[in-house]
Amino acid sequence: MSNVRILVACKRVVDYAVKIRVNAAGTAVETANIKHSMNPFDEIGTEQAIQIKEALAKAKGNAEVVVVSCGPAKAQETLRTALAMGADRAIHVETNDELQPLAVAKLLKAVVEKEKPNLVILGKQAIDDDSNQTGQMLAGLLNWPQATFASKVELTDAAMTVTREVDGGVETIKTTLPAVLTTDLRLNVPRYASLPNIMKAKKKPLAKFTVADLAVDIKPRLETLKITEPAKRQGGKIVESVDDLLDKLKNEAKVL
């Protein structure tokens, strides 16, 4: 395929190295004054799109990588990171409202209809909610084929071959384009953005839309009633014999 447009979804999430805690109201994870970064799976998706672009360039083809993020104004920082990695331009759908997977899928569908990409790449899940739903929902809304949990991708004329991780092993599938692809951890290792590319990213195009511009209903379908932290781990005990262990499991832990 000589000319390809790839749309990559990038979500701004609490940085993976941050130890999360529940807010005082018990309704969500605390995000105030917390470091955020690009969702690691989306970073892998961005890297894959750039690798496809580079491979096509060597074959005298052409690819455009467009990154999109839905969320508050600070999501632009995530988009600039993707641009610094090598994406060509960015789209920001700005909203401060809660976005559940179906709402994001609807927003991405509206962007896809505007951009008409050959391939849409998403991380298989976001590390903040771990929903693993948006890619599948987007494929359903678009009525496009999908390849999820990709650990290897090969693009040919109007088709894509994907090795995907499944329970107990891997499977290889082939699908026509356009299609939706979700990335797994072992697909690639994302590159670091160099300082010159970070500076260049500031001048790359970044288009802004609102939810109203896209005419999408993002009303939440699910209600979170309460969030609690896991119970603190109890200290272990040393027993003198197997009989002592069995006695404690039966009479104290009551698991036998």
Side-chain angles (χ1 to χ4, degrees):
M1 182 175 287
S2 57
N3 292 286
V4 178
R5 176 173 291 165
I6 306 171
L7 187 71
V8 185
C10 299
K11 185 177 183 181
R12 177 178 181 266
V13 299
V14 174
D15 188 84
Y16 72 93
V18 172
K19 184 177 180 180
I20 61 172
R21 61 181 188 274
V22 178
N23 62 18
T27 57
V29 170
E30 183 61 67
T31 57
N33 302 315
I34 297 294
K35 181 183 177 183
H36 285 66
S37 59
M38 188 191 305
N39 177 48
F41 290 101
D42 297 339
E43 201 171 13
I44 292 168
T46 302
E47 174 64 28
Q48 188 61 35
I50 296 167
Q51 287 186 13
I52 293 172
K53 174 184 173 181
E54 293 171 342
L56 282 173
K58 290 181 180 178
K60 308 301 181 182
N62 180 59
E64 181 185 34
V65 177
V66 183
V67 289
V68 57
S69 187
C70 307
K74 288 187 177 181
Q76 291 184 28
E77 299 171 5
T78 301
L79 291 172
R80 292 295 180 191
T81 298
L83 292 172
M85 289 175 66
D88 298 293
R89 56 188 176 91
I91 297 172
H92 179 210
V93 182
E94 187 169 356
T95 177
N96 291 315
D97 294 331
E98 177 191 359
L99 292 177
Q100 294 180 352
L102 179 59
V104 177
K106 288 180 177 180
L107 290 171
L108 292 177
K109 175 178 181 286
V111 174
V112 167
E113 290 171 347
K114 286 180 176 291
E115 293 292 325
K116 295 181 171 39
N118 305 91
L119 178 64
V120 180
I121 303 179
L122 306 90
K124 72 170 185 177
Q125 65 196 74
I127 63 171
D128 54 358
D129 58 19
D130 280 330
S131 292
N132 181 21
Q133 296 174 343
T134 306
Q136 293 90 325
M137 288 178 171
L138 176 61
L141 292 172
L142 291 170
N143 196 28
W144 283 10
Q146 60 179 300
T148 56
F149 317 138
S151 58
K152 184 179 179 181
V153 177
E154 296 177 2
L155 212 61
T156 58
D157 285 346
M160 178 174 62
T161 301
V162 177
T163 301
R164 60 188 302 268
E165 300 190 0
V166 297
D167 292 342
V170 297
E171 70 175 1
T172 301
I173 61 173
K174 186 174 183 180
T175 180
T176 57
L177 296 177
V180 174
L181 175 75
T182 72
T183 61
D184 212 335
L185 279 176
R186 280 157 286 280
L187 179 58
N188 59 54
V189 178
R191 67 193 67 189
Y192 289 102
S194 65
L195 181 59
N197 286 338
I198 292 173
M199 300 307 293
K200 290 177 183 177
K202 296 179 180 180
K203 298 181 179 180
K204 289 185 178 181
L206 194 159
K208 299 178 185 178
F209 294 97
T210 65
V211 174
D213 292 334
L214 301 178
V216 172
D217 174 19
I218 62 169
K219 181 180 178 182
R221 266 56 176 183
L222 303 173
E223 179 186 359
T224 301
L225 301 179
K226 187 178 181 181
I227 295 179
T228 56
E229 295 185 7
K232 290 185 178 181
R233 189 172 181 176
Q234 300 295 320
K237 295 181 179 180
I238 297 176
V239 295
E240 299 296 332
S241 65
V242 173
D243 291 337
D244 192 15
L245 172 62
L246 292 173
D247 180 66
K248 288 184 180 299
L249 291 175
K250 182 177 180 180
N251 299 316
E252 292 185 19
K254 299 188 183 303
V255 293
L256 293 179

